[in-house]
Amino acid sequence: MFLLLIGAYVKAQEKNVSGTVTSSEDGMMLPGVNIIVKGTASGTTSDFDGNYNIEVPDSNAILQFNYLGFVTQEIKVGAQTNISVVLQVDQNELEEIVVIGYGTVKKSDVSGSVSSVKSAELTAYPTVSAEQALQGRAAGVQVQSNNGGEPGAPIKVRIRGGTSINASSDALIVVDGFVGASMPAPQDIASMEVLKDASATAIYGSRGANGVIMVTTKKGTSSKPTLELNTSYSLQHVNNTIDLLDADEFATYRQAYSENYVQGPANTDWQDEIYTTGSISNTQLAFSGGSDNSKYYISGNYFAQDGVVINSNLERFTILSNVDVDITKRFKVGLNVFGGRSTKDGVSTQAQTGGTGGGDVISSAYRFAPDLGIYNADGTYTINSLGDDIDNPYALATESVDERKADTYRANFYAAYEFIDGLEFKTTFGFSSENTQIGKFKPTTILAGAGVGGEATFEYRNTTNTLSENYLTYNKSFGAHNLSLLGGYSYQKVQNEGAFAGARSFVTNEVSYRNLEGGAVTMQPSSYLNETELVSVFGRVNYEYASKYIFTFTARRDGSSNFSKNNKYAFFPSGAIAWNMAKENFLKDSNTITTWKWRASYGATGNPSISPYETLAKFSSVYAVVGDQQVNGVVLTDFANDNLKWETSKQLDLGLDVALFDNRLELSFDYYTIKTEDLLFPRPLPEYSGVSSQIQNIGELENKGYEFSINSRNITNQDFTWSTAFNFSRNKNKMVKLPDGDDLFIDSAPGHFLQRQTQILREGEAIGSFYGYEYKGVYQGGNFPEGTATLSGDSDPGGELFADLDGNGEISTADRKIIGDPTPDFTMGFNNDLRYKNFDMNLFFQASVGGEILNYTLLELGSGAANSTADMVNAWSPTNTNTDVPRPAVREKRITSRYVYDGSYVRLKNLSFGYNLPESFLGKTGLQTVRLYVSGQNLLTFTDYPGADPEANYRNDNNQRSNTNIGLDYGSYPNVRTFTMGLNMKF
């Protein structure tokens, strides 16, 4: 009886405690956490969902929570029966892994310049692509849309500036080991690393000069199946409009230099007519899980955007699947499959020419007379009443057809076998295909179609990419020494083919481009096929001693079918050293310094530079007449050149990585110089040769700059965390060598401007510098101020004054000079993440300072041959002489410094608030996590730029223009302000 009573008393003192264990880093549940009653052998572990349940002897018991990579935490039970714990990351034990070419490495052992971007940063707000989400996130990386907020607009990524003039400077994208892959949806990306210096990129040899973006998609885990739903809906509005003259102001302006002008019957704000409220619907459903031997991740994404310009939209479906299987302990296989389809309905923007029958929706909205309505009295569309005959923007947006469909597929299989501990062989085989169809139709209701009875065109493009890679990796540790060896072989083949067909003179506008045979007049068809093969051998040696001294040597030898026998192969080596001074005896016991690592690297990387068959003699088809019959013929258009070779970039990088206070404060600094040699330029040939020029390796350019980033965990406790990330970059470029030392001129103005030589390449100057006349204000009459003059025909008071550089009293082409540099002085990003209990907040700023913009839109609006900005109400007149706006007049569209502006801006890129439903509520529903959030993008922009948006990017849509046509603005799709509501759920 006594023993039974004692047992009952002890049992009455015991109690049951349950709860969940999560990570302070990302809020995810932690499985396998050891929970022990301190001082006893009694304990348990958390399950796959981070839940636990344990019996404790009494309320005085203390629970210990222990998990590898996290700080051990002790909690007294007291009266609590539910104890949920947030474990803090132990930065001394949890080592971040960085993905590099053909492998991974601990962050502490990185000897090159690498920036990492986490999954949470890429999905902080809805974006069209992962490239866009990268903007402002990594030092030295510039990201810009080629056409504002257009649905599906291409994104330009530059790492440490452009390294070429006439070849691409696009970064190489590697997705799960597939070189040259298309970017997956941001929600499917686990991590993204940006490789910047030669040591990091040389493993990709001839394609590494422009930097490499390494993308790792999400994988399955050894746990029970998990279903994740991420969905959001956004509303979008035009970020800014240009203040133009209304109908009455426009009539007054016109009558100032054309007394017979009769005001039209309407008062139309054309920007209001074409702009609308846009929207984005973005949904991802992901299913993952696995066992000890197999893991899987399957994700489907749906993205739909209705643009802020009427009749523009994008719809995209993608699916991603990752399967990894351990056949045996040493043999692993895996398959990555990606597929997607996008459908885009576009409107014409960024017109190359806006002459009669030309123009685009955006520039026409600025130019078109505001005293005209959409329709004439007879129901036809109005046509501009001054300057060139152009359609009104509403007609262009609603009548023209521009549809693009793209199907993308990619499959990448790997098998890895570990022969002995540390020695692994891996083979991969991948194939991708991208098919694009472009259909356009210009009906008879607009000028471009009216004169030809309607015009329809259809274009087909297909790109296939086959990649096979095989490599051995050997990792060995002996004492304080760690050695890693890599050697491999790669074969890649890229094939491009396409076809074009078109017709004119249709009976009806109803058929669009899907009935080419209905056109009475057939346009000349065309087709093409080209292939490139690349074979490579590559290797890397990494040696690390005592976590203090790190040495890396990388080399790759590439052979390309694009080059002839003299230069078919090239060798690209690099080397790097690093010293972690914090591991030395004089610092290893420091309570302040965790890491102090000096880095230095130097190496050579290449640019593919030329298109297939560029080294060969080429003939083009021509038509000739023999007798009275037309026959086909050929004519020589290019000479063979067996001496063409890769453009080569040689880069020096000096860096410093510092971590303080147990990694709560991390700083990184890099200084670099990049000299690109053997630039490709067309050299003029004598006219008697019959060929105008020949591509030769005869130029050099230089990029140099520095990067600084800082990451800090300002506050980290159970209820409140606050972390900050800041990056700052500066890159300046200049031409070092040009063919024969002569200036080269670039033409980028819209064709109807009739202006050439808008930019210049000059030795010692920045690439793409603006070239024109220096504006000196308004001529007030009498003698010209010293060093100034007016152009002939504009010498009355109120005319434009320009700098007279040659001092001859008149303005001519000899008085032109460099009038602007489009390269920003620096760019930066500033991100803050805060969490208080179940609430979270993100605040992200992005900025660009110092880059100048040549605004062709404002130049045209000031020419007198179109509507004008509201500034024209302050134009010079005999009663208004204190102004820098010349009198109203029709003037030639000259390139002058009057239209070169500071493009600096600071932008609140994202502000979001989220709430995670409490675990006490979720426990009743079977859900693991539920997060609700609202966010706003591009909410505030601080800038003095008078154009629609400082993130302008006109005529920058292909390799030949991507590095010289920067800082240009004309007819671009507007940037947008976005408001988003979203839901994240995990089952």
Side-chain angles (χ1 to χ4, degrees):
M1 178 74 69
F2 176 77
L3 292 175
L4 288 174
L5 289 173
I6 291 295
Y9 175 79
V10 172
K11 186 68 176 176
Q13 297 299 306
E14 290 183 352
K15 60 192 301 185
N16 182 272
V17 178
S18 61
T20 59
V21 188
T22 57
S23 165
S24 65
E25 189 78 359
D26 52 18
M28 299 298 291
M29 304 298 182
L30 294 177
V33 177
N34 292 313
I35 301 107
I36 299 173
V37 179
K38 187 175 182 179
T40 73
S42 177
T44 186
T45 59
S46 60
D47 63 17
F48 291 126
D49 298 322
N51 299 313
Y52 75 92
N53 190 295
I54 191 172
E55 295 286 341
V56 299
D58 53 46
S59 59
N60 294 319
I62 295 175
L63 292 180
Q64 285 183 333
F65 296 83
N66 185 278
Y67 194 58
L68 180 64
F70 291 79
V71 177
T72 298
Q73 189 169 336
E74 295 184 357
I75 297 179
K76 185 175 181 179
V77 172
Q80 303 175 87
T81 58
N82 185 282
I83 301 176
S84 292
V85 178
V86 178
L87 293 184
Q88 303 298 313
V89 174
D90 187 344
Q91 298 299 331
N92 291 322
E93 295 184 17
L94 188 63
E95 184 67 74
E96 184 178 347
I97 300 299
V98 175
V99 178
I100 57 175
Y102 305 101
T104 60
V105 65
K106 292 189 298 183
K107 183 178 179 181
S108 61
D109 292 343
V110 172
S111 57
S113 181
V114 180
S115 291
S116 296
V117 181
K118 297 178 181 178
S119 174
E121 295 176 290
L122 297 173
T123 56
Y125 57 92
T127 57
V128 176
S129 67
E131 293 100 325
Q132 189 179 31
L134 184 59
Q135 186 179 41
R137 299 291 186 180
V141 181
Q142 288 182 272
V143 179
Q144 190 173 14
S145 167
N146 277 352
N147 196 17
E150 179 193 24
I155 303 297
K156 184 180 73 173
V157 180
R158 289 291 177 271
I159 298 174
R160 294 184 170 180
T163 59
S164 182
I165 298 298
N166 294 306
S168 173
S169 283
D170 293 339
L172 179 68
I173 297 175
V174 180
V175 179
D176 292 327
F178 195 101
V179 182
S182 56
M183 193 75 80
Q187 296 90 339
D188 289 326
I189 296 176
S191 66
M192 182 184 290
E193 273 78 32
V194 182
L195 315 184
K196 295 181 288 188
D197 72 331
S199 174
T201 63
I203 197 68
Y204 291 104
S206 63
R207 295 165 295 179
N210 303 320
V212 181
I213 299 176
M214 305 290 299
V215 177
T216 303
T217 57
K218 293 180 179 178
K219 310 289 184 182
T221 58
S222 300
S223 63
K224 70 178 185 179
T226 298
L227 183 66
E228 189 172 354
L229 172 67
N230 300 299
T231 184
S232 66
Y233 184 79
S234 307
L235 293 177
Q236 295 188 311
H237 306 276
V238 175
N239 212 20
N240 187 35
T241 58
I242 295 180
D243 191 8
L244 303 172
L245 300 177
D246 63 21
D248 292 336
E249 294 168 335
F250 174 72
T252 301
Y253 162 63
R254 285 285 288 149
Q255 290 163 0
Y257 61 93
S258 180
E259 296 179 357
N260 297 326
Y261 181 79
V262 178
Q263 184 172 348
N267 185 14
T268 306
D269 186 330
W270 290 106
Q271 294 177 92
D272 279 351
E273 295 297 333
I274 65 167
Y275 295 150
T276 185
T277 298
S279 65
I280 293 178
S281 177
N282 191 10
T283 300
Q284 180 213 25
L285 191 64
F287 184 58
S288 63
S291 63
D292 291 340
N293 297 323
S294 63
K295 304 175 183 66
Y296 59 86
Y297 175 86
I298 303 170
S299 170
N301 284 271
Y302 172 75
F303 181 94
Q305 181 179 8
D306 289 325
V308 296
V309 177
I310 55 174
N311 215 29
S312 64
N313 57 74
L314 171 71
E315 187 176 48
R316 183 179 63 214
F317 301 89
T318 63
I319 186 167
L320 174 74
S321 174
N322 280 324
V323 179
D324 299 278
V325 179
D326 295 346
I327 304 297
T328 68
K329 183 179 179 181
R330 295 187 180 275
F331 185 37
K332 302 176 182 179
V333 296
L335 179 65
N336 171 275
V337 178
F338 173 83
R341 159 164 281 203
S342 66
T343 303
K344 176 184 175 184
D345 291 327
V347 296
S348 59
T349 58
Q350 297 185 327
Q352 306 295 302
T353 180
T356 300
D360 62 67
V361 173
I362 307 300
S363 65
S364 296
Y366 300 147
R367 298 167 60 190
F368 209 87
D371 57 357
L372 294 178
I374 296 175
Y375 302 101
N376 294 308
D378 61 1
T380 59
Y381 289 108
T382 56
I383 296 174
N384 205 30
S385 60
L386 80 152
D388 298 308
D389 290 339
I390 60 170
D391 297 286
N392 74 60
Y394 183 86
L396 286 172
T398 56
E399 295 293 321
S400 295
V401 176
D402 184 350
E403 296 179 353
R404 298 171 184 244
K405 292 183 179 179
D407 295 320
T408 303
Y409 307 101
R410 183 179 70 248
N412 198 25
F413 170 82
Y414 80 86
Y417 185 76
E418 189 177 28
F419 294 100
I420 59 175
D421 291 345
L423 178 62
E424 182 183 80
F425 172 75
K426 187 172 185 179
T427 181
T428 68
F429 179 80
F431 178 82
S432 71
S433 175
E434 183 170 346
N435 300 283
T436 304
Q437 302 174 14
I438 305 171
K440 297 183 179 182
F441 183 65
K442 298 174 182 177
T444 57
T445 50
I446 61 175
L447 289 170
V452 294
E455 179 182 285
T457 61
F458 183 80
E459 185 176 359
Y460 166 76
R461 304 171 186 168
N462 172 253
T463 299
T464 59
N465 190 339
T466 304
L467 175 65
S468 174
E469 296 189 308
N470 303 272
Y471 52 95
L472 278 166
T473 305
Y474 180 66
N475 295 295
K476 180 66 174 178
S477 297
F478 42 98
H481 306 272
N482 293 286
L483 178 67
S484 177
L485 304 176
L486 169 73
Y489 169 83
S490 173
Y491 169 82
Q492 189 163 19
K493 180 179 180 179
V494 178
Q495 182 182 79
N496 294 285
E497 61 179 332
F500 169 87
R504 295 173 176 145
S505 190
F506 291 86
V507 175
T508 174
N509 288 326
E510 298 303 318
V511 296
S512 187
Y513 63 86
R514 295 181 179 87
N515 185 30
L516 294 182
E517 67 272 20
V521 179
T522 302
M523 301 170 67
Q524 182 179 350
S526 63
S527 60
Y528 64 88
L529 170 67
N530 62 64
E531 296 178 340
T532 297
E533 291 181 280
L534 186 74
V535 293
S536 312
V537 291
F538 54 87
R540 180 174 58 222
V541 178
N542 282 329
Y543 170 75
E544 174 257 313
Y545 174 73
S547 299
K548 290 190 289 187
Y549 312 116
I550 304 165
F551 302 90
T552 302
F553 177 76
T554 306
R556 185 169 181 131
R557 185 174 187 261
D558 283 327
S560 172
S561 62
N562 286 4
F563 295 93
S564 292
K565 56 185 178 181
N566 292 351
N567 292 294
K568 189 171 290 291
Y569 293 91
F571 181 65
F572 301 97
S574 77
I577 59 174
W579 172 37
N580 190 355
M581 192 172 66
K583 298 296 183 179
E584 298 290 354
N585 291 335
F586 56 87
L587 281 179
K588 69 178 184 179
D589 295 326
S590 171
N591 294 323
T592 302
I593 299 174
T594 309
T595 301
W596 192 290
K597 182 170 64 176
W598 301 95
R599 293 181 283 104
S601 69
Y602 182 80
T605 49
N607 193 323
S609 311
I610 66 172
S611 303
Y613 323 123
E614 198 79 37
T615 63
L616 305 179
K618 291 198 287 287
F619 294 84
S620 298
S621 300
V622 296
Y623 293 104
V625 177
V626 177
D628 60 352
Q629 294 203 357
Q630 180 176 293
V631 297
N632 291 340
V634 294
V635 62
L636 179 67
T637 53
D638 283 296
F639 290 126
N641 185 352
D642 289 337
N643 295 316
L644 280 183
K645 56 186 175 180
W646 276 278
E647 296 181 347
T648 301
S649 295
K650 297 178 180 178
Q651 181 173 179
L652 170 69
D653 185 281
L654 303 175
L656 172 65
D657 298 323
V658 177
L660 307 174
F661 313 115
D662 290 332
N663 293 319
R664 290 190 60 175
L665 181 64
E666 298 177 336
L667 304 97
S668 182
F669 177 83
D670 281 88
Y671 169 80
Y672 62 87
T673 61
I674 309 172
K675 180 169 285 190
T676 305
E677 302 172 346
D678 300 318
L679 292 177
L680 294 170
F681 280 100
R683 169 162 274 168
L685 298 177
E687 292 186 9
Y688 61 76
S689 69
V691 176
S692 61
S693 62
Q694 184 184 48
I695 297 292
Q696 298 180 8
N697 296 99
I698 45 178
E700 293 181 12
L701 69 82
E702 180 183 73
N703 284 274
K704 62 170 55 177
Y706 54 86
E707 303 159 357
F708 175 74
S709 63
I710 180 170
N711 295 285
S712 63
R713 285 174 279 274
N714 308 313
I715 300 175
T716 56
N717 58 49
Q718 185 170 342
D719 288 336
F720 181 59
T721 62
W722 171 28
S723 62
T724 297
F726 173 79
N727 65 77
F728 175 97
S729 309
R730 175 180 172 84
N731 179 80
K732 301 304 288 185
N733 61 55
K734 69 176 181 180
M735 288 303 311
V736 177
K737 180 181 178 182
L738 286 166
D740 303 317
D742 296 333
D743 293 343
L744 293 180
F745 295 97
I746 302 162
D747 305 327
S748 67
H752 65 291
F753 278 33
L754 304 178
Q755 293 292 317
R756 297 177 60 81
Q757 300 184 348
T758 55
Q759 294 125 286
I760 189 172
L761 294 176
R762 175 177 288 172
E763 291 183 356
E765 299 292 345
I767 298 171
S769 296
F770 308 135
Y771 192 69
Y773 302 98
E774 183 181 358
Y775 183 64
K776 288 294 188 179
V778 178
Y779 175 51
Q780 301 292 340
N783 294 328
F784 293 128
E786 184 177 355
T788 67
T790 61
L791 284 151
S792 59
D794 198 21
S795 56
D796 293 333
E800 294 179 309
L801 270 178
F802 298 101
D804 179 17
L805 300 182
D806 60 8
N808 65 359
E810 60 182 31
I811 299 300
S812 66
T813 56
D815 293 305
R816 292 177 301 169
K817 58 178 287 190
I818 291 177
I819 55 175
D821 177 1
T823 307
D825 291 334
F826 63 86
T827 58
M828 66 179 184
F830 180 58
N831 185 69
N832 284 272
D833 287 303
L834 301 97
R835 181 188 61 82
Y836 176 69
K837 293 187 176 180
N838 292 336
F839 295 91
D840 60 77
M841 172 183 170
N842 175 261
L843 182 68
F844 176 43
F845 285 91
Q846 182 256 334
S848 176
V849 177
E852 293 176 302
I853 298 175
L854 173 56
N855 193 312
Y856 288 134
T857 295
L858 297 183
L859 191 161
E860 182 169 50
L861 295 178
S863 69
N867 194 8
S868 184
T869 63
D871 289 342
M872 194 53 68
V873 299
N874 190 37
W876 186 96
S877 69
T879 59
N880 182 41
T881 60
N882 186 24
T883 178
D884 64 350
V885 182
R887 70 179 187 281
V890 177
R891 294 183 174 88
E892 183 182 343
K893 299 178 181 67
R894 307 179 190 95
I895 309 302
T896 80
S897 61
R898 179 184 172 193
Y899 299 105
V900 174
Y901 304 95
D902 181 4
S904 302
Y905 69 91
V906 175
R907 176 164 281 166
L908 176 55
K909 203 69 179 178
N910 183 65
L911 175 62
S912 63
F913 298 92
Y915 176 70
N916 292 274
L917 295 185
E919 297 163 0
S920 58
F921 173 79
L922 295 180
K924 304 173 184 177
T925 65
L927 294 167
Q928 293 186 34
T929 59
V930 175
R931 178 176 179 264
L932 305 167
Y933 69 92
V934 294
S935 68
Q937 293 79 51
N938 298 332
L939 296 179
L940 297 171
T941 301
F942 305 94
T943 183
D944 291 329
Y945 179 62
D949 192 88
E951 290 190 72
N953 212 12
Y954 174 63
R955 295 194 79 167
N956 200 284
D957 55 355
N958 63 32
N959 294 345
Q960 284 68 40
R961 295 192 290 256
S962 62
N963 296 318
T964 55
N965 286 353
I966 49 180
L968 303 176
D969 190 356
Y970 183 75
S972 296
Y973 199 102
N975 220 316
V976 293
R977 182 181 291 116
T978 305
F979 300 93
T980 301
M981 298 180 295
L983 169 67
N984 307 130
M985 301 176 64
K986 192 171 184 180
F987 299 86

